[in-house]
Amino acid sequence: MSTDAPRSAWRLLASGWVPAGLTALFAVLLLKAYGVGLTDLALYSGYILVVVALPGLLLWRALRRKAGPIALDIAAGLALGYPLSVFVYIGFRAIGVPQLAVVPSILVVAAFALVPGLRRHWRGSGERAPMWWSWILAGFVVALFCWTAIDFFRRNGTSWPGNSQPYQDMVFHLALAAEFKHHFPAMIPYVIDEPLHYHWYYHAHLAAASWGSGVELQTLLFRLGLMPVLAGFVVLTAYTAKAVVKTWWSGPVAVFFTLVGVSWFNTVGTGWMLINLWISPTQIFAAMIFGALAYLVVDLLPRTATKGEWLLFVLLAAGVAGAKATFVPMLLAAAAFVAAVGLVFRRRLDRTALIATVLTAVVFVGAMLLLFRGGSAGMRIVPFAMRDPAESYAEMALRIVVGWLGVWAGVLGLVVAGRRALNQAVLFCLGLGAAAIGVVLLTSQPGGSQMYFLSSAKPYLVIAAVAGIAGLLGEPVRQWRRGLAFVLVAVMLGGALTNLDAYTKPIENATKTGLRGYPRGTTGQIPRGGIDAMRWLRDHSSPDDLVATNVHCLRPTVPICDSRSFWVSAYAERRVLVEGWVYTDSAMKAAGTRKDYQWTPYWEPEILAANDRVFTAPSAESVAVLRDKYGVRWLAVDRRVPADVTGLAAVADLKYTDHDTLVFEVRR
């Protein structure tokens, strides 16, 4: 009897394709259960494969002049493909043909298929991870998908009223994606004449994907967009840990503590990733891209890089610069730290670290000039802003040191292991962590956004901690060193164990209210009929038309106005004269240092008065002001907010009505 079939089956099991396939099947079933149609799923999957992942994988291999393990190359190719597809999209969007943005990716794939010298990049290295590694990483991805369902999907439906009360920042992200779908250069879409100084690459990706796949932006943002990102993040974190620590077991351990590691009893912030996994999509999107960049840096530090690898470095650095503002400053500090340590302690100039520092500085300056243009989003130098008013500086220092050592206790192992454990890769990880800690200790932002620096550095502080534990377990073998390693791991586990309720409560809520605990009330942010009305407006207007609305507040029936209202601009995919006004440079300047920045009044009261006059005291004159002075073409009305609908109908044409929402066209 032939043994070829059993051997082939075993090779398939050992290759990692089975756990990867089962993970993909689980994702399909999960998304189907939460309202994603198979057509949308297939279209977006095709877009990610053909436009993002496949060109990225081929270019990753070509620029490195070698192939790696298939899982690593796919994840890194995805990380490279995201910013490259965004760069291409904004070019085609700027010239008015966004539908053609998929063409360059197709041409890249065709070139690698047809040009003889490029065909070798379709072949992998043949290097395989251990079977247990593949299954464990697949388990982490499935766990993230389950957490996504329990913590996010079940609370956010895709039709009313299930989508009437989303986390307000999700609608903000949707509004920015809609802006990039129809305009470049982009502006803040929900208030007039406000520049966009923000990390917007994820929103541009959603816009590009909507054009390329035909899938609604809401479905992309609330369901599909982050699913491949989560898988890529797990793989890249694991492979970076393996590259730093030089052991296979370090990869899953690093992923585990990155996801659940936290200070004991959560006494100090540590960049708790799971809590913000979906409600801050730019963070995990950038973290995944940076994962490929970090792996590349770790690979380059001990040797001389090729020109292709430096080009890859610049592309990834430029990609992460526009994906999240936290990463490039940390990269600059870490590269400079490695170069400085080499010069001071090893009496030699680390050429690779120095080149990385210079290139990162160029990318940083470029991002400040082109993307952020001097905007600070309200961040200020405020030393020790995380101190509680009731505690002394000494108490604050003790709380911070004990809290951070609790989650990254393994770093102490580096002290015991000595200089042998402090190679360039470990120094790079420590440099990232030190930069983030410095920002957290010395700055403040009204919304606490300085903590995103710590979230960004968390995987690499964890990797440094794992390297410390590995150093204790290595040569020379000593029982006390192993005992210390066990203690440090136990301390790191303690943080997760003392915060179990953060994980168990969502699970308990899911068991009580069901796996679809969508909002069912009628008092949410978005009125009944609001989404359908805005989509009608989108389909019957020009992208350059300006809309005015009577809704400005997150909760229209609450007396104090929380100005985080974005749903008109988000679902109409049109710019609005003044809807909400938070998250802008002007709003942050007006708020100053106050924490309740969302209640800051609008700084242009005459515009707000002219806008609201049309809805509360409509007349031909008031409508003419909006039309002739500001260029308003449409009026969107939320009935829950006081409005003279009868009077409005006398001076504008009612075009669409759906329960609590009306759309009027301004007469010319």
Side-chain angles (χ1 to χ4, degrees), residues 106-161:
I106 296 172
L107 294 177
V108 167
V109 175
F112 276 88
L114 299 175
V115 177
L118 296 176
R119 288 177 187 164
R120 63 187 179 89
H121 298 298
W122 289 91
R123 296 189 296 271
S125 65
E127 180 184 348
R128 292 182 178 179
M131 185 168 60
W132 59 265
W133 160 286
S134 301
W135 283 95
I136 289 175
L137 293 194
F140 279 128
V141 175
V142 169
L144 281 179
F145 289 168
C146 290
W147 177 259
T148 291
I150 292 170
D151 188 58
F152 184 78
F153 284 178
R154 64 173 294 274
R155 295 187 289 113
N156 293 275
T158 54
S159 59
W160 200 93

Side-chain angles (χ1 to χ4, degrees), residues 313-444:
F313 176 92
V314 171
L315 290 172
L316 288 169
V320 80
K324 192 75 173 181
T326 56
F327 284 93
V328 170
M330 287 169 30
L331 176 63
L332 178 60
F337 177 67
V338 174
V341 169
L343 186 62
V344 173
F345 293 99
R346 296 172 182 171
R347 305 300 185 197
R348 66 180 181 86
L349 185 63
D350 191 323
R351 187 169 179 270
T352 300
L354 182 61
I355 294 174
T357 302
V358 172
L359 291 177
T360 305
V362 172
V363 171
F364 176 73
V365 171
M368 291 302 297
L369 293 175
L370 299 176
L371 295 175
F372 307 115
R373 300 178 185 179
S376 66
M379 185 167 283
R380 292 175 170 84
I381 301 295
V382 184
F384 310 119
M386 60 193 305
R387 182 176 71 89
D388 189 284
E391 67 180 355
S392 67
Y393 283 98
E395 290 170 332
M396 176 201 69
L398 181 63
R399 173 173 60 87
I400 290 174
V401 171
V402 172
W404 283 343
L405 281 179
V407 68
W408 298 303
V411 172
L412 295 176
L414 296 172
V415 178
V416 178
R419 293 181 61 180
R420 195 169 46 145
L422 290 172
N423 57 41
Q424 292 163 300
V426 173
L427 289 173
F428 175 70
C429 293
L430 290 174
L432 292 170
I437 289 171
V439 172
V440 169
L441 291 177
L442 299 177
T443 67
S444 179

